[in-house]
Amino acid sequence: MDITDTTFTSASIGCITVAPSDPNVIYVGTGETDIRGNISVGDGMYRSTDAGKTWKNIGLNNGQMFADIIVHPDNPDWVMTSAMGHIFGTNDERGIFKSTNGGKSWKKVLFRNDSTGGMTLKMDPFNPRVIYASLWQAYRNGWSLSSGGSGSGLFKSTDGGDTFTEITKNPGLPKGINGKICVDASRAQRGLVWAMVENRNGGLFKSTDAGASWSRVSTDANIKQRPWYFSHVYGDPNDASVVYVLNVQMRKSIDGGKTFFVVGTNHADHHDLWIDPNDPLRMIVGNDGGAVVTVDGGAHWTDDHMATAQFYHVDVDNNFPYRVYGAQQDNTTI
């Protein structure tokens, strides 16, 4: 059931987070950060306090594309978000933002320059004062994509997101130009952090000391392809040796990231994953075919039951009344 068409002016959604302490409070960032040439921009952040029945725009309209949202486990008004900003140009409303009043006002807490936006934003499940964030320098024009630059980097906060320290140059992380960086802080083991790093010497990296030092555990080409489009990584909430990386295929490792195998799903091009913290066999994956659910660790998935409507091309015929034809991205022609 759609709950936003009567409110949102943007058809593109980048991230959604439900407040852990109050499921009636939902935050949505419009505009996706999978920056293809046909990308749709957003119109800021939205908040609902009645489980999605009504919505209010809470600003950052020039952030245009939002990658992540985190909400404090005990305070539904404490929220942080990462904004990529203008992908086809430069602007200052980009980076990492924080609000302590439910989005009534925002403070920009991490910013590099007007061509670098916010990407990953993850809170340590053992300590909400510890937050990991990444910045991504990237832009598009009509015929090309540039991913990476001196603005890209990985950062850590130990004071609840008020200040950040760059950890990109910590031992074990690759030197040189970085592009998109995605991280996840493990629920299964204190201090365990995973990072997918776009770099000439990139791949999957692992830290067991909360980002102080790192080791590269995989250079598998299947988890690195098109890193600007994919690269999301998720640790299993109960087993520290299990990690998922999303790419064209959904891939899983059960040996701490050393080797990966394919988890078969309904479709290709995987962009989001939710793992039930109380039952890791229960997952929801979002890909170019929609969103599907498994309750047996990926052995079986539900069918697609939602209308997908990202059209690459539309046309009409000469009938009266005329008929409309459309080719959907990675899906059927209708």
Side-chain angles (χ1 to χ4, degrees):
M1 180 181 69
D2 175 76
I3 58 174
T4 62
D5 268 359
T6 59
T7 307
F8 291 16
T9 59
S10 170
S12 179
I13 303 300
C15 45
I16 306 168
T17 296
V18 179
S21 61
D22 185 351
N24 291 306
V25 177
I26 307 170
Y27 292 93
V28 171
T30 59
E32 58 183 324
T33 54
D34 303 322
I35 53 174
R36 298 177 68 102
N38 62 322
I39 192 167
S40 298
V41 302
D43 65 321
M45 290 281 296
Y46 283 84
R47 184 187 195 221
S48 173
T49 57
D50 53 14
K53 294 177 182 177
T54 60
W55 296 89
K56 181 181 180 181
N57 185 293
I58 55 173
L60 301 181
N61 292 11
N62 247 342
Q64 284 207 346
M65 301 168 188
F66 295 84
D68 250 342
I69 300 170
I70 56 174
V71 182
H72 195 280
D74 302 317
N75 183 358
D77 291 332
W78 187 108
V79 56
M80 293 183 68
T81 189
S82 54
M84 274 299 292
H86 293 200
I87 294 300
F88 288 85
T90 59
N91 74 313
D92 287 332
E93 193 166 88
R94 54 169 70 209
I96 307 299
F97 295 83
K98 178 180 178 179
S99 174
T100 57
N101 55 15
K104 293 177 182 177
S105 61
W106 294 92
K107 179 182 179 182
K108 185 159 56 177
V109 292
L110 181 59
F111 175 80
R112 185 88 90 176
N113 55 48
D114 63 5
S115 61
T116 300
M119 188 59 210
T120 278
L121 195 55
K122 292 293 186 294
M123 180 180 287
D124 188 328
F126 294 95
N127 183 356
R129 295 179 63 83
V130 175
I131 297 163
Y132 300 91
S134 68
L135 297 180
W136 182 23
Q137 187 164 13
Y139 73 87
R140 290 213 70 126
N141 56 29
W143 58 90
S144 67
L145 161 74
S146 174
S147 177
S150 59
S152 298
L154 183 59
F155 300 79
K156 179 182 178 180
S157 172
T158 57
D159 57 10
D162 290 333
T163 61
F164 282 87
T165 300
E166 184 166 6
I167 60 174
T168 314
K169 298 185 182 349
N170 283 12
L173 287 175
K175 295 178 173 58
I177 295 176
N178 291 306
K180 185 178 182 180
I181 302 173
C182 293
V183 303
D184 192 32
S186 173
R187 292 175 177 268
Q189 179 180 317
R190 184 185 291 270
L192 174 59
V193 186
W194 302 96
M196 280 293 299
V197 181
E198 180 186 7
N199 183 289
R200 184 185 296 271
N201 297 303
L204 177 63
F205 291 78
K206 175 182 179 180
S207 172
T208 57
D209 53 15
S213 63
W214 299 80
S215 60
R216 186 169 64 174
V217 292
S218 178
T219 59
D220 186 342
N222 292 299
I223 66 172
K224 294 199 307 176
Q225 60 179 311
R226 284 203 292 175
W228 58 270
Y229 194 47
F230 299 114
S231 296
H232 294 292
V233 57
Y234 302 87
D236 185 278
N238 292 347
D239 189 339
S241 63
V242 175
V243 60
Y244 297 85
V245 175
L246 304 186
N247 207 285
V248 175
Q249 296 166 316
M250 177 179 175
R251 290 184 175 262
K252 178 180 181 180
S253 172
I254 58 174
D255 56 8
K258 296 177 183 178
T259 60
F260 282 86
F261 58 88
V262 175
V263 178
T265 62
N266 64 310
H267 207 278
D269 289 2
H270 299 81
H271 298 286
D272 205 359
L273 176 66
W274 175 81
I275 307 173
D276 188 336
N278 300 312
D279 178 10
L281 295 179
R282 180 170 171 252
M283 298 183 287
I284 307 172
V285 69
N287 55 38
D288 279 9
V292 287
V293 180
T294 181
V295 294
D296 56 13
H300 304 88
W301 297 87
T302 57
D303 293 330
D304 290 319
H305 289 303
M306 64 191 68
T308 56
Q310 186 171 16
F311 288 102
Y312 273 173
H313 186 71
V314 292
D315 206 349
V316 299
D317 63 19
N318 293 323
N319 284 282
F320 184 82
Y322 62 86
R323 292 174 291 196
V324 181
Y325 304 83
Q328 298 179 98
Q329 189 233 344
D330 282 1
N331 278 299
T332 60
T333 299
I334 58 176

